[in-house]
Amino acid sequence: MKLVGIVGSNAEVSYNRLLLKFIEKKFSQLVELEVLEIKDVPLFNQSDDQTNSPAIQNISKKILAADGVIIATPEHNRTIPAGLKSLLEWLSFKIHPLENKPVMIVGASYYDQGSSRAQLHLRQILDAPGVNAMVFPGNEFLLGKVKEAFDENENLKDQNTINFLESTLKKFIQFVKMVSLLEEPKPEPAKPEDLHATGTIDTTIEGVDMSADDWVEQAAEAVNAVEGKTYVKLNRGILTVDQLNYFLASMPMELTYADNNNQFLYYNHTKPGSEMLASRVPGQAGNPLANCHPPKALKNVEWVIQQLRSGAQDAVRVHVPTHGPDKFVVHNYQAMHDEEGNYVGINEFILDFKPIIDWYLKQTGQTLAGDVDAVSGASAKQHEEVDSVSSASVKESEEPVAAAVAVDSVSSASVKD
């Protein structure tokens, strides 16, 4: 973590400078601290704008590049020195590098109370409009009787004082991290998905009703699609259309492809819909995804697509326990991309893992222990409480994804339906 320390005095000999130098040396494994001087900062005068002077611009740029700031202030007549006040005036005149910047205040003085009154005043200044710093609350470090505090090597003598300074610095580091989380830009909300596929992309077959039961036949005729024993050159092979069909039909899972226009284009039709893990019928091919789900499921479908399209997740997986205890069914939604990395749709594959797990257990002689779910590894009690997509508890998760009734993004109904 990179911090800058501002010496609040322009004096040639300053115990507050010594304090910052000690922090820089003693706690170098915790933070990287760069100590900045204010001796070249001109007296603030708005009639003589010095905002672009090298002294002010240098300090401003250093503050902007740092994760946080430590200001070490003496106490002059119960307030901060004029030099430090001028710096803060310049940094809130036309430029505002301290805005939302975490700031920790320390200070040293000759007397018992340290620089307590100056620190209190400095807090008020840093909170002022135009400055708007994020001042580290509490945890005051007040170094009193400073003439006796350092040894001949400019190190603090008292170990309790060093320990307290270290604990305060560690708390400030945590404060900086929290501020960083608060101030980081929030991701743009995902754009609504056009589940009715009203747009067109370069592979959209226009002039054919997407909802037609014979869309495949009409679309094939419209584009003169090849079939049968006609060869297709793939990136690493040459197969006939028949061979491609054989190959896809032999996959031990249900495959579905929906393009980036949210049009359902293909599934490896091998069984009647009633025998599938996620029911599909030939007439659905070509339909917009909105036609393939009940209205109440569309919000969940949209969320899955938004995760994949945005790159928030490369894959979304849903464990569907409603097929019965003899099946370990998982719906997998995998983002697909072209050679340039552009999103081109969803490869959904649905698989019952139980035969694979049973085979593996038989081969290895291992067994499933207790009431542990064989897919997630969570106990049955835990599984009831955990969202099957995000792994967050259903109560905690704010995403519109159901757990036990999770929706297949292409099938005609939710699992429960």
Side-chain angles (χ1 to χ4, degrees), residues 283-299:
Q284 286 180 315
N287 272 231
L289 288 181
N291 291 6
C292 302
H293 305 83
K296 67 180 182 179
L298 296 184
K299 191 68 177 177

Side-chain angles (χ1 to χ4, degrees), residues 23 37 49 104 114 152 164-165 177 214 247 249-250 324 362 393 395 398 412:
I23 294 173
E37 300 286 350
D49 186 1
M104 173 181 169
E152 64 277 7
F164 180 70
L165 178 57
K177 292 177 180 178
D214 62 343
F247 179 72
S250 70
K362 184 177 180 180
S393 70
K395 182 178 180 181
E398 296 180 356
S412 60

Side-chain angles (χ1 to χ4, degrees), residues 120-414:
L120 180 60
H121 193 193
L122 180 55
R123 287 179 181 275
Q124 294 174 324
I125 296 170
L126 292 170
D127 283 334
V131 186
N132 293 321
M134 301 284 281
V135 185
F136 183 37
N139 297 284
E140 297 175 313
F141 183 80
L142 307 167
L143 184 61
K145 296 183 178 180
V146 70
K147 289 183 178 181
E148 306 167 14
F150 291 92
D151 63 20
E152 64 277 7
N153 297 316
E154 299 183 341
N155 295 318
L156 287 173
K157 297 177 183 178
D158 183 64
Q159 188 60 46
N160 289 333
T161 300
I162 296 172
N163 293 342
F164 180 70
L165 178 57
E166 180 179 10
S167 68
T168 303
L169 184 59
K170 287 180 176 178
K171 290 175 184 176
F172 180 61
I173 291 170
Q174 293 303 314
F175 178 73
V176 172
K177 292 177 180 178
M178 288 189 292
V179 171
S180 176
L181 290 174
L182 289 173
E183 294 300 320
E184 70 180 8
K186 294 179 174 57
E188 290 288 330
K191 295 180 180 179
E193 288 291 333
D194 178 15
L195 297 180
H196 294 277
T198 58
T200 58
I201 56 177
D202 56 359
T203 53
T204 299
I205 300 174
E206 300 188 66
V208 181
D209 180 8
M210 290 184 180
S211 301
D213 286 342
D214 62 343
W215 177 86
V216 171
E217 289 72 25
Q218 289 189 50
E221 183 177 353
V223 299
N224 296 315
V226 297
E227 57 182 323
K229 299 186 183 302
T230 304
Y231 280 96
V232 177
K233 182 183 178 182
L234 304 172
N235 61 353
R236 282 296 179 271
I238 299 175
L239 299 174
T240 67
V241 177
D242 284 343
Q243 287 173 327
L244 281 171
N245 277 319
Y246 304 152
F247 179 72
L248 293 168
S250 70
M251 292 290 105
M253 62 191 72
E254 296 172 9
L255 297 172
T256 299
Y257 173 50
D259 68 13
N260 67 337
N261 195 40
N262 295 328
Q263 185 180 7
F264 171 26
L265 294 182
Y266 169 84
Y267 76 100
N268 57 341
H269 175 54
T270 58
K271 299 178 181 177
S274 60
E275 298 178 15
M276 298 179 68
L277 298 172
S279 178
R280 292 155 174 69
V281 295
Q284 286 180 315
N287 272 231
L289 288 181
N291 291 6
C292 302
H293 305 83
K296 67 180 182 179
L298 296 184
K299 191 68 177 177
N300 288 357
V301 175
E302 181 179 45
W303 182 85
V304 170
I305 297 171
Q306 287 171 339
Q307 295 296 297
L308 301 177
R309 187 187 298 276
S310 68
Q313 298 187 61
D314 288 328
V316 175
R317 296 183 177 87
V318 182
H319 169 215
V320 182
T322 54
H323 290 284
D326 61 331
K327 290 182 172 63
F328 299 153
V329 176
V330 176
H331 292 223
N332 302 268
Y333 309 95
Q334 180 75 45
M336 299 173 65
H337 301 89
D338 62 16
E339 293 84 354
E340 285 75 41
N342 300 307
Y343 173 80
V344 294
I346 299 175
N347 168 20
E348 180 191 2
F349 55 99
I350 302 170
L351 181 63
D352 175 12
F353 282 90
K354 190 172 188 303
I356 299 172
I357 293 173
D358 288 345
W359 174 88
Y360 182 81
L361 294 177
K362 184 177 180 180
Q363 292 293 312
T364 62
Q366 298 181 59
T367 58
L368 298 181
D371 61 347
V372 174
D373 182 286
V375 175
S376 69
S379 69
K381 181 178 180 181
Q382 289 172 327
H383 184 76
E384 291 172 0
E385 299 172 349
V386 175
D387 182 287
S388 59
V389 175
S390 68
S391 295
S393 70
V394 176
K395 182 178 180 181
E396 292 173 342
S397 175
E398 296 180 356
E399 301 294 356
V401 178
V405 293
V407 177
D408 169 16
S409 67
V410 179
S411 67
S412 60
S414 71

Side-chain angles (χ1 to χ4, degrees), residues 73-75 78-80 115-123:
T73 181
E75 183 167 309
R78 299 185 177 179
T79 187
I80 64 175
S115 57
S116 59
R117 289 167 295 192
Q119 289 197 29
L120 180 60
H121 193 193
L122 180 55
R123 287 179 181 275

